[in-house]
Every structure is written in structure tokens, then in C-alpha cells.
Amino acid sequence: MSVLLQNQGYADERLRVVTKRLPCREAQASTLLALMGEPEQHSYPSIFIYGHTATGKSHVTQTLLRELELPHAVVSCVECVSSGLLFEQVLLAFFSSSLTLPRSPCLSDFVRLYRQLCAQLPATQTRYIVLDRAELLRDMDANLLPGFLRLQELVEDNVTVILLSEIVWDKFRPNTGCFEPLLLHFPNYSKAELQEILAQDSHPSYSPELYSSYINILLGVFYSVCRDLRELRHLAALNFPKFCEPLETGEAKEKDTHKLWRNIEPHLKRAMQTVYLRDVSSVQWEQQQQTEERETGGLKGLSAHDHVELPYYSKFLLIAAYLASYNPARTDRRFFLKHHGKIKKTNFMKKHEKTSNHLLGPKPFPLDRLLAIFYSVVDSRVAPTASVFSQISSLVTLQLLSQVSHDDQLDAPKYKCAVSLDFIRAIARTVSFDIVRYLYDFL
Amino acid sequence: MRHSLEPGARRTRGVPGCTAIIIRKRSQNLNCLHVFPLQEWKSLEILAHIKTRKQAAVTMSKRKAKDSHLTVGDCVSQAQRLLRDRFCRQQLPAGPAGVEPQHKHLLELLRRTAVHGESNSVLIVGPRGAGKTMLLNCVLKELLEDSEVKKNVLLVQLNGLLQTDDRVALKEITRQLQLENVVGDKVFGSFAENLAFLLEALKKGDRSSSRPVLFILDEFDLFAHHKNQTLLYNLFDISQSAQTPVAVVGLTCRLDVLELLEKRVKSRFSHRQIHLLSPLGFERYLHCVRQQLSLPPDVPERRFSQEWNASVEALCEDKMAEAALKKHFNSSKDFRSLHMLLMLALSRVTVSNPTIRPADLLEASRLCTADAKANIVHGLSILELCLIIAMKHLNDIYDGEPFNFQMVHNEFKKFIQRKSHSVHNFEKPVVIKAFEHLQQLELIRSVDGSSATKTQKEYQLMKLLLGHGQIMEALQKYPQCPTDVKQWAVSSFG
């Protein structure tokens, strides 16, 4: 399974250590190492490594560079709000220089300083600049990415720029083209590989086999949704105590895999709804697990659903807005008028088989229509006072409604409802209003 | 015709007395001469450095060959070093292969500036990797071999990627002409004064007695985006009036570069263009491959290099390898991409595999031509893949109209209810998370960026950035794809 990395320029002992640190990434590591070559040799000006999150891009590159003690600078582009920070980190890592960059430096300054320092401290080995999350470089100065790609030529030094990203190279290429980097792909870990890696952090007080079977169950639930190693590891660590519960109380032995599975499976499914979506924090989840036996009530997460408290009329305003957004205006007569004259029965009942508004999204509506619907749904008589209008604008502030028209249209502002069906159902339930009966899509 | 004032008159003007002397070769003022030592061309130094290193390697290997045999490992690493220098550093070839007429033209032009003091401007136009810089560097190398010229000519190299505006460019010019000590930030602060000073200095000279200046503008098209094109205007203006002899050489990959120039700039340009559109045939290409890969007879060792060259020969004869090269040739002829291919092949050469084999080249070509998007699709989870298939169906039904999450989810739910055995129903938020992941990977893109903040994320209009064929192809190779998902993708209606 584990093929030892080979390279002339490095001691075998060191390569063995590196191989050990990079489980299941032997092929990628050896390709990268072969491209880098021996430390004194020249390397390709720029290498672009892409692959999904947590496929070991940064890990492999950094481990190689660190363990083989090559001169390198690792910069995460997320941290670099300005290009100056980026330049500073690179220069500091290579030359640990006290020579300061000018204020808000441009690429030209960087290259000039680099050349100056490089003349004092010429490279004996290839220098590597690793730019993590390189997709963010696109949002910085337009000349930065093409500049870094051909940095070797610009500074005339033995330097290689390694870009790491999860977005394909095609999305990076500038309009007039640029120096093309070498492309390397890091594929995902396969299911077996994930199993192997996750099984490594087994709990000391249980046998590795037990942990491995636990990982198997976990992957069975989550693998079809998530292949992110980091996320899976988090979920595994969080749910393991629950898995071991029957063992501790003595209800089951390590061999009763079926029993253990039945115990944990619903639990994992619930974790998918909460932990995976980050609806609850890890601490909350652990607390819930402890108190679960006593309280059978539903999980209260971080989501807005369960926390929004609105004034009585605001609720009705929101309901009215929802109805106005999702019902066609021509159906208002039929929903809200008690005596709606004589309409042909057939026409009345017939619903056009069109794509429903719940697929297309909310439509804008004028203020008049909102108020008209509001008066007909609210059960008491409300005067159109300033309080009602101010409630509308506070709904806009809460971003439950959004104003579509420009602010300068004071006479007939238009709005859109910006809440989901589930949300409005929960709201309607609190004022015992059956909203589904009034929705055209659900007739 | 404007002639500069007499030296004596100049000195009496008081302001930095050396303004015009800077570029005077026969100045009487000895004090000023040592202020401006010869501009050393850095890449030339490096060239010389390479040369000596190479010679050192040659002599070393010769000596060693006499004394003892090198191990295979040493041979491989020396061969690697040599070839890597060739592929990665863009080392200059011995002669300009395939562009001899252009080479002659450019050399003649620059020589006229350097020797006779004629001003000129020229653009070298060609696609990326066509060898523009190589051509120019070859010409400069040859030009500067003449010690008379080397002593005389000043060289200013600018790059559109580095000098992003005229202020930075001006600073760089002063620096490269080694005038900082004269200009200094204290004497002249503002851009205008700086420019005026430089212009004055350049204008003061006349064509018979001034040192010629070569301006090299790499990525020329980017200079055209500078405000008012001040730099270009002034450079071209000097180049077409009888002032200090300058040659302005622009390198660009844009064929329409003249359209970018303002009228007043355009009219000052000589409209001399050198095009590098190489009509390289496959035979020549193959020859280049052979040339690029082969080792000189005595490096690193006679026996190794013979074996190596034989293997290169065998490689070029091999049918499969030739097909791979042909494929590469058909997609792009330029040297850069060839170097990339050869570099990948070269990286597979190790001690246990000391020669280059056809299999190495095939593997390299496979790496080069891999479809990156398909690779990314292969790494998606089943749920994300299902969403992509749903989008594909929506695209088929509505003829490429944009869609929103709600529609995709609806499509996905229909599939779950009707046909699915292997995929379970997922909560809507889980599906949204998967959808957002696709957006993060830029496999889908929101249609209107600006109004995106106003609408709910479920109803934001999206476009799929994968083609129908791409999806089907990726699906074929998707590891362990459930059959029902595959069938759903093939079926014509969702």
C-alpha cells in the first residue's frame, strides 16, 4: 500500500518520515516531489494544485516543504486583505529582512525589493511560495495573479509559486491569457481511504476494531452527503460518546454490532439536521445529548424559525404580504370577497396548470394590495394609523419584507415577501390562521 | 530640428547641471561621468553565469570521466538539472530557430539606434509562448556582444504587469537610468516635475552626441490602459523627433493593440510591427522535441548521454508517443506548452528509470489534457451529483433558461418519490448546503450578481456552467455511481 517516496536529493530516512505523515496521498506526493526535483535544481515557475476541500492539498505541500527543510513561504490569501501583507509575509519568510516595503506597495516594489535581497542572499535551493485559497487572488489587483505566475522570470531567481485552490484553473485565466502553470489534481479520498484515515484516531479505552466499525456506520449515513474529511472527523468525534453509551451501561458488548447500530443510527440522522448544518454549536449538541432523556421536546436550534417574536398585527401584515406575493392578483376577489358576484363555476374552479409561484419565487405587490388583504384577514377592525405603517417599515428592516421599488416612490411603494413557507406557517399557527387554505398553489 | 545647448551654457543654468550630460557620451565634464556608470544588463550577467556554470559542468564531467565513472544517480541528476534549466528557465537557444527573418529585421533596427543614433519604435506581436521575449533577448544578446555598443547603449526594461501606472513606470525608468541620486525625492516631489526632468534630459541631446536609450515594454497592451497614455505619448514623441536617440520596443500578444492607442499616440508610432505567427509544421515540431530533449554528447557522461539520446530517438519514433505529441501539437504549437509536457515527462525519470520512455510521455500528456471540471465532478457527493442531474433536466426542458433552487429541489424530490432506491430523502437545509457547495465550486453561477442580495437564496436565478456532454461523460466515470441515478440522468424527461 504505502510506496516509499523516492528522490535522489533527499535522505531516505527523511522521506520515510514524510511518507508516514501522508497516508493515502502517496501518488500525489510523489508526483509533486518529482516535479520539485532536487533542491538545487530549477523547478517549474508555477504549479497549480486543485481539488476539493480536505483532500490534502495544503497538508501534502506543507509537509513536504517543512520536513525536507526547503526554503518556503506559506501564505493564506484569506489573511491577506491587501497585497502588501502578502508581499511582507513572503519577504519575511525568505530573507527575514528588516528592509521595509513602502506604504501600500505594488508588485513592482515587491519585485524590486526581492531582487535586491536576492542579490545579497542568492538562492542555493529552490524557493517555494505557497498561496493557499488562491481563488481570492482574482479579487485583488488584476496584475497580481499573472505576476505571480511568472515570478521566476520577473525576479530571475530560482523560485516556484504553488497555488492551491478548489476551483478549476479555467476560472482563473485572465482575458488576454497569462503564463500557464502546471496543473495537478488531488482527487478525493475514496470511501476505503476515508475509513482508514478516520480509524486512526481511535479512542484509547476502546479497541480499534470497535472504532473502525463505528466509522463504518458513520460513513454509511454521511458519505452520500458529505465527503469532506474534516467535517466527517468532527462528526465522528462528537457522536462517539453516544455510540459507547450502551457499552458503558452494560446493555451491550462490543460484539453486538447490530444493537449498537440500532442505538446510534437515528441519532446520527438527527445530527445531520443539526450539527452538519451548524444549526447548533458543538457545545449545545453535547448538552442536548445529556438532557435529551428528560426533555422530549423538539430541538431548539440556532435557526431563526424558533426565535422570532412579532407583534400581533405584524404577524398579520406578514401573512398578508405572503399571500400578496404568492397569489396572483386576479384571485384576490375569490379569496377575500364575501359576495363576489357571479363568476362562471367552471372558470372559478379551474386552475391553470402552470408552474406554481412557489417554484418561481415571490412577486412584488403594491402597498394598497397589502393593506386590502390585511384588512380582510385580520379579525378585528384596525384603523390605518401610523402604527400599522411603521410596522411595515420595521418588517422591512428585519428583512422579512424587502422593498422592491426605489426609495423615492413614496406614494406607491412595492414590496416582496422574503420568508419561506415553513416560516409563515409557523407564524400563522400562532395566530390560528390557516394560511394554506388561502394559497392558490395549494388548491 | 532642435539642438541642445552648448555644454558651457548648460552649466550656467544652475539647475542640476548634469541633466543632459547623463546621456552624453562625449561629455567633457569628468565629474559627471562616474556618477552614471554603465547600466549593466542583468540578464546578460545571468547568461554569462549560466555559460560558465555549464562550462564548469562540462569540464568537471570530462575530468570525472577520465578518473572514474559517475553513478547512474549522478548522471540522472545532472541530466535533470540540464533539461530543467532548458524547460523552466526559458534559457536562450543558440540561435533563433524559425524566426530568422524577424531576428534580422529587429537586429538591424536596433543596431541603427545603437550605432547610428536613429530613433525607432517597433511592436513585436505574437500569441503567448510564440517566442517574443526569446527573439528580443537573442537580438539584445547579439547586439550587446559588440563592446562599443555595450558601452554606449542604455537599456530600460519595463513590464506592464509591474509598472501598473505611469508614476511607477517613471520611478522605474529613473532607477534603471541610475538617476535617483540626481532626482531624489527631496528635489522633485511631484509626478509632473519628475516627468519634466526626464523629458528635459532626453530632449536635451541630439542624435549625433547622445547615448541611445532602448526602452523595452513587455506586455505593451497594459501600458495603453494607463491614464492618458502619457508615458507612451512621450516615448513615441521623442522617438519621432530628432532628440536623444531612443528605440521603443513593445511586446504584446494582442493583435488589435493599435486600436488601443489614442489618436495622438498612434500618429507618433512608426507603425512598424513584427509578427510572430509561426507556421511550424509537425515535422519541425518533432525535430524541436528531439532537440529539446537531447543531451550534449559529453554531459554528464559519454555512455549515459548516448543511451539517453538513443532513448529520445526511440521516443520520437514510437507510434503512441507520436500520436500524443500530435494531439498536443494540434491543441497548441507554442514552446511553453511543449515545455510543460516535456517537464512532466522528465519528472518521471528516476534512478530506477534512467531513460525517458514513451509511457512517461503518454502519462504526461494524460495529465496535461485531463478535464479539470470532470475531475471536480468526480469528487462530488451523490446528493450534489443528483442536483446537477436535476439542473441538467431543467436545462433540457426549459432550453437553457436560468433556474432557482426551488425548481431544482422540486425536480430532485420527484426523482426521490418515483424512481430512487438508493438515495434517501434529505431535509431541505441539507440540500441547500449541497447547492451552496456547488456554487462555491463555481459549477453554478448566479445570473445577476447585483440583485442577489435582495432575493431569497432559494429563488436566486442560477445558470449551470457544465455542458450536457460534460455531465454525461463525468457520470460515466463517476466512481460507484448508483444505477438508478445513472438511469435518471439518461432518461429524457425528469
Side-chain angles (χ1 to χ4, degrees), chain A residues 6 8 31 33-38 40-45 50-53 106-109 111-112 115 133 135 138 142-143 146-147 150 152-154 156 166-171 176-185 188 191 221 223-227 231 272-273 275-278 322 326 355 357-362 402-405 416-420 422, chain B residues 42-43 46 53 73-74 76-78 80-81 84-85 87-90 128 133 157 159-164 168 172 175 218-219 221-222 253-254 336 339-340 343-344 347-348 350-352 367-368 370-373 375-384 398 404 406-407 410 424 426-430 433-434 437 440-443 454-456 458-459 465 478-480:
Chain A
Q6 278 189 338
Q8 271 264 300
T31 315
L33 194 63
L35 277 175
M36 283 157 47
E38 292 172 32
E40 293 84 24
Q41 289 171 351
H42 255 268
S43 183
Y44 206 75
Y50 66 101
H52 286 277
T53 33
C106 60
L107 192 60
S108 176
D109 294 320
V111 167
R112 181 174 49 83
R115 290 174 90 144
R133 300 283 305 268
E135 63 267 17
R138 296 178 300 176
N143 65 332
R150 58 195 317 156
Q152 191 177 94
E153 197 182 314
L154 294 175
E156 286 162 7
E166 51 173 343
I167 294 175
V168 293
W169 167 245
D170 301 353
K171 312 260 173 197
T176 50
C178 60
F179 186 94
E180 295 283 310
L182 261 180
L183 305 184
L184 270 191
H185 177 232
N188 279 38
K191 199 170 178 179
V221 175
Y223 187 65
S224 58
V225 178
C226 169
R227 299 189 171 185
E231 194 113 30
M272 166 123 71
Q273 290 162 27
V275 183
Y276 176 61
L277 293 171
R278 301 279 182 275
Y322 192 86
Y326 286 91
T355 31
N357 274 332
H358 279 89
L359 282 187
L360 297 174
S402 65
Q403 189 160 1
V404 190
S405 58
K416 245 185 196 180
C417 186
V419 296
S420 66
D422 290 335
Chain B
K42 293 220 176 72
S43 28
I46 284 178
R53 232 177 64 182
D74 292 338
V76 167
S77 86
Q78 280 198 31
Q80 282 255 10
R81 177 187 308 248
R84 271 168 181 273
D85 274 357
F87 299 151
C88 303
R89 297 182 78 168
Q90 320 291 344
R128 298 232 170 235
T133 315
Q157 284 184 309
N159 192 320
L161 285 174
L162 298 183
Q163 282 76 42
T164 41
V168 182
E172 190 63 28
R175 197 168 285 130
D218 207 346
E219 308 275 353
D221 46 318
L222 295 180
C253 61
R254 285 189 68 161
R336 283 270 166 72
H339 281 161
M340 191 192 286
M343 176 71 201
L344 279 169
S347 74
R348 298 173 59 82
T350 55
V351 181
S352 49
L367 271 180
C368 268
D371 183 0
K373 268 189 186 166
N375 277 336
I376 288 291
V377 172
H378 290 162
L380 294 177
S381 66
I382 296 278
L383 175 61
E384 285 153 356
Y398 297 112
N404 60 30
Q406 216 43 265
M407 294 156 96
N410 197 37
H424 321 285
F426 294 106
E427 293 278 314
K428 190 168 159 190
V430 177
K433 188 164 174 173
H437 186 219
Q440 195 191 333
L441 290 172
E442 299 190 15
L443 294 175
K454 277 209 163 175
T455 50
Q456 292 157 269
E458 290 98 322
Y459 295 115
L465 301 178
Y478 188 84
Q480 292 153 22

Side-chain angles (χ1 to χ4, degrees), chain A residues 52 135 138 166-168 171, chain B residues 376 380 384 387-388 391 403-405 431-449 452-453 456-465:
Chain A
H52 286 277
E135 63 267 17
R138 296 178 300 176
E166 51 173 343
I167 294 175
V168 293
K171 312 260 173 197
Chain B
I376 288 291
L380 294 177
E384 285 153 356
L387 291 184
I388 287 201
M391 291 172 205
F403 50 82
N404 60 30
F405 168 75
V431 184
I432 291 188
K433 188 164 174 173
F435 192 77
E436 280 170 350
H437 186 219
L438 290 178
Q439 194 177 355
Q440 195 191 333
L441 290 172
E442 299 190 15
L443 294 175
I444 54 176
R445 180 172 54 87
S446 112
V447 173
D448 38 7
T453 48
Q456 292 157 269
K457 59 186 173 191
E458 290 98 322
Y459 295 115
Q460 256 174 46
L461 287 180
M462 295 286 185
K463 245 190 154 80
L464 184 61
L465 301 178

Side-chain angles (χ1 to χ4, degrees), chain B residues 7-59:
Chain B
R10 219 181 313 114
R11 245 174 284 131
T12 55
R13 292 180 94 191
V15 200
C18 27
T19 14
I21 305 161
I22 302 150
I23 31 186
R24 283 238 146 179
K25 57 180 168 190
R26 286 192 288 267
S27 164
Q28 289 90 4
N29 193 339
L30 289 172
N31 284 338
C32 286
L33 273 181
H34 78 266
V35 179
F36 311 109
L38 232 178
Q39 163 84 9
E40 199 66 49
W41 184 34
K42 293 220 176 72
S43 28
L44 256 192
E45 269 174 45
I46 284 178
L47 277 178
H49 176 65
I50 294 165
K51 230 179 185 174
T52 48
R53 232 177 64 182
K54 225 157 99 191
Q55 276 164 358
V58 170
T59 50

Side-chain angles (χ1 to χ4, degrees), chain A residues 314-342:
Chain A
S314 285
K315 284 179 182 172
F316 274 104
L317 276 171
L318 197 60
I319 290 169
Y322 192 86
L323 293 174
S325 254
Y326 286 91
N327 282 346
R330 62 185 165 79
T331 59
D332 284 354
R333 267 167 84 82
R334 132 192 193 195
F335 284 124
F336 305 113
L337 226 59
K338 296 226 168 63
H339 308 289
H340 46 71
K342 282 194 176 168

